């Protein structure tokens, strides 16, 4: 500080300094005396300015040290300061003369001990759980057989080889690898960008969008796995629209991404096992299910055939169903001629009764009275008809005198058209009537063919006649000189037939009793 000392003023022994001189001297003294140092303490208030710079305090039970991390330095911090976190900060002391303050420009922040890391982890876990990011309702089911699997891991480690080997053994699938750093300061932002990048792919695009994501890393210490405890990674896993499996560390290691992912696998190999089923097991299961389906189909068909056979045995035969209607038809056909004769006789008797009640005298008197009334009306009608005809004739002559030839021609034309129309209608009516009569005649012919004896002949019966008369007994046939037998397809004349001699009846022997 000798360069700041000026000659004392006359009468004074103490030198004078300007404010800038003393501020610069203090700044140079702090920076030259301490240089790059490490300070341990608890993070107090944290403030991020609009410019992106980070301002916070590191304190102990008695004093506070103001710390500053510039915007360009924040990305290189392994841990971002949070209030209440015990940390070890590394940087340089400097002074800010505009406010007579000194502070520390922090270039690196490290958590002071594993206990502090666990405390920070629990704090983040409670905050994310309060937002509902750990709820089971948010977790999506894994696809049964994904077509494309996206893997977020280091491309040079043993993890990716284990995953690919296990996928190849179980069920080969397409795999997209997004290389990231799995530890250090670059781990958290790269993993978050990889998850978001896979979700940003367009389904069906040139680069297929994965159906399942696996975030994998091998085992390590808490510090090595700390990148997967960062809030940015946990939120990216929770916001992923693609189902995500977390496979970070070994079975005993737990990170925040395990809670926000859709499923947690204890190891990367186990994640590959969760991603796809075993192909041989599926083939075996399909074959087994196919065999069960075939057996069930055969058994079902056999049961239905047996049931159909049982029901068929319970149904009556068609001959039995038709025997009753046939008998009723025969009875009705036998009763029909007699019924027709009785009907005609009844109507003839009724007509005779009605005609008998009419007397000739009464009829003659009635005809005379009607004839007299008719003559009287005709005498009255003749003058009226003459007057009417005379009036209409005069009216017609007057109207015809006024009619023009053109009007007469038009009327004749209309009448001719009307006559043509009526003739066509009459022709159609006559044709329709004739068709109806023809249909009735054909129906009667069919009924006659059905009820006649010719239909019976086609079933094996014959008609026997002698000189045109029916022969209905065997005796009459034996006495006939010439028989005419009518079959369904023609007639046959045969000579006289002798009645067969009666066969002797066998008499039972005395040793054997009669059964009758």
């Amino acid at each position: 500080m000798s360069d700041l000392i000026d000659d004392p003023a006359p009468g004074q022994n103490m030198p004078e300094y300007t404010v800038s001189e003393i501020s610069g001297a203090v700044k140079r003294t702090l920076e030259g005396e301490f240089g790059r140092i490490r300070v341990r303490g608890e993070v107090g208030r944290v403030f991020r300015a609009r410019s992106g710079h980070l301002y916070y305090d590191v304190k102990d039970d008695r004093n506070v040290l103001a710390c500053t991390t510039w915007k360009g330095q924040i990305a290189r911090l392994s841990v971002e300061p949070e209030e209440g976190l015990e940390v070890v900060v590394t940087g340089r002391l400097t002074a800010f003369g505009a406010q007579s303050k000194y502070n520390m420009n922090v270039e690196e922040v490290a958590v002071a001990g594993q206990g502090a890391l666990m405390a920070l982890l629990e704090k983040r876990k409670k905050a994310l759980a309060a937002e509902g990011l750990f709820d089971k309702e948010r977790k999506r089911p894994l696809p049964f057989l994904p077509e494309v699997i996206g893997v977020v891991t280091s491309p040079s480690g043993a993890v990716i080889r284990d995953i690919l080997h296990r996928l190849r053994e179980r069920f080969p699938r397409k795999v997209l690898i997004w290389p990231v750093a799995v530890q250090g300061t670059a781990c958290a932002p790269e993993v978050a960008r990889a998850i978001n990048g896979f979700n940003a792919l367009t389904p069906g695009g040139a680069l297929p969008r994965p159906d399942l994501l696996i975030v994998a890393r091998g085992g390590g210490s808490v510090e090595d796995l700390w990148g997967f405890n960062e809030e940015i990674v946990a939120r990216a896993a929770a916001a992923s629209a693609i189902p995500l499996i977390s496979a970070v560390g070994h079975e005993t290691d737990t990170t925040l991404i395990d809670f926000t992912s859709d499923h947690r696998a204890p190891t990367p190999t186990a994640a590959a096992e969760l991603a796809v089923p075993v192909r041989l097991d599926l083939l075996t299961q399909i074959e087994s299910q196919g065999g069960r389906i075939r057996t069930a189909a055969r058994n079902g068909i056999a049961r239905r055939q047996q049931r159909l056979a049982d029901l068929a045995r319970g149904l009556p035969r068609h001959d039995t169903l038709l025997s009753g209607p046939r008998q009723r038809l025969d009875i009705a056909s036998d009763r029909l001629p007699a019924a027709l004769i009785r009907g005609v006789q009844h109507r003839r008797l009724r007509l005779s009764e009605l005609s008998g009640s009419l007397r000739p005298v009464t009829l003659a008197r009635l005809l005379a009275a009607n004839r007299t009334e008719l003559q009287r009306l005709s005498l009255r009608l003749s003058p009226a008809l003459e007057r009417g005809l005379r009036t209409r004739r005069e009216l017609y002559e007057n109207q015809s005198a006024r009619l023009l030839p053109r009007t007469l021609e038009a009327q004749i034309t209309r009448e001719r058209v009307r006559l043509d129309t009526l003739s066509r209608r009459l022709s159609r009516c006559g044709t329709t009537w004739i068709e109806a009569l023809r249909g009735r005649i054909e129906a009667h012919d069919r009924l006659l063919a059905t009820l006649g004896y010719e239909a019976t002949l086609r079933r094996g019966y014959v008609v026997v006649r002698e000189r045109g008369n029916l022969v209905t007994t065997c005796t009459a046939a034996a006495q006939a000189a010439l028989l005419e037998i009518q079959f369904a397809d023609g007639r046959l004349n045969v000579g006289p037939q002798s009645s067969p001699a009666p066969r002797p009846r066998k008499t039972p022997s005395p040793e054997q009793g009669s059964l009758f």
Side-chain angles (χ1 to χ4, degrees), residues 501-509 514-516:
R503 299 178 62 182
R505 186 175 180 180
K506 185 177 180 181
T507 303
S509 61
S514 176
L515 296 177
F516 302 98

Side-chain angles (χ1 to χ4, degrees), residues 80-351:
E80 188 170 335
E82 296 182 11
E83 186 174 355
L85 180 64
E86 187 176 0
V87 296
V88 176
V89 294
T90 303
R92 298 178 180 277
L93 278 178
T94 184
F96 185 51
Q99 295 182 356
S100 299
K101 294 181 178 180
Y102 69 95
N103 63 2
M104 183 176 181
N105 177 227
V106 177
E107 301 173 355
E108 183 181 347
V109 179
V111 179
Q114 188 172 353
L117 286 176
M118 293 298 103
L120 177 60
L121 180 61
E122 289 298 325
K123 180 180 178 182
R124 290 179 179 175
K125 187 186 299 183
K126 290 179 181 179
L128 296 177
E131 296 181 17
L133 300 184
F134 298 168
D135 295 343
K136 294 183 179 180
E137 292 78 9
R138 296 185 65 261
K139 300 185 182 301
R140 292 171 295 276
L142 303 180
F144 178 73
L145 187 60
E147 290 292 333
V148 181
I149 300 175
V151 180
V152 180
T153 188
S154 173
S156 58
V159 172
I160 187 60
R161 291 195 296 271
D162 294 342
I163 292 176
L164 294 177
H165 177 69
R166 187 50 57 95
L167 290 177
R168 192 181 304 109
E169 285 182 347
R170 294 173 65 86
F171 206 120
R173 296 281 87 185
K174 296 179 181 178
V175 179
L176 293 179
I177 303 174
W178 196 300
V180 295
V182 292
Q183 70 180 45
T185 57
C187 173
E190 289 186 5
V191 172
R193 283 196 298 269
I195 297 174
N196 296 330
F198 274 132
N199 281 271
L201 294 177
T202 303
L207 187 62
R209 183 185 185 188
D211 302 315
L212 179 67
L213 295 183
I214 299 177
V215 179
R217 187 203 186 282
S221 62
V222 177
E223 290 80 4
D224 294 338
L225 304 178
W226 190 254
F228 298 94
N229 288 321
E230 294 293 343
E231 186 175 349
I232 184 176
V233 176
R235 291 189 181 276
S240 174
I242 305 174
L244 188 143
I245 299 177
S246 171
V248 178
H250 296 301
E251 188 171 358
T252 56
D253 299 325
T254 303
T255 57
L256 281 183
I257 193 175
D258 296 335
F259 297 97
T260 57
S261 60
D262 297 304
H263 202 88
R264 177 183 180 270
T267 61
T269 304
E273 295 176 356
L274 291 173
V276 294
V278 181
R279 186 175 184 177
L280 295 179
D281 293 346
L282 291 180
L283 293 175
T284 304
Q285 184 178 1
I286 291 173
E287 184 64 27
S288 175
Q289 294 293 337
R292 293 178 61 185
I293 291 174
R294 289 190 293 270
T295 303
R298 286 195 298 267
N299 294 338
I301 293 173
R303 286 195 301 269
R304 285 165 175 79
Q305 288 178 346
Q306 183 64 36
R307 179 61 176 167
L308 182 60
D310 296 341
L311 294 176
R313 285 195 294 270
L315 294 175
R317 297 178 60 84
H318 64 279
D319 295 337
T320 306
L321 292 175
L322 296 177
S323 61
R326 284 172 180 168
Q327 293 178 359
R328 290 195 297 271
L329 179 61
D330 293 339
I331 294 172
S333 62
D334 293 339
R335 294 173 59 185
L336 181 60
L340 290 175
I341 294 172
R342 286 196 302 270
V344 172
Q345 292 176 352
H346 176 73
R347 286 167 176 79
R348 184 179 292 132
L349 179 60
R350 181 62 177 166
L351 179 61

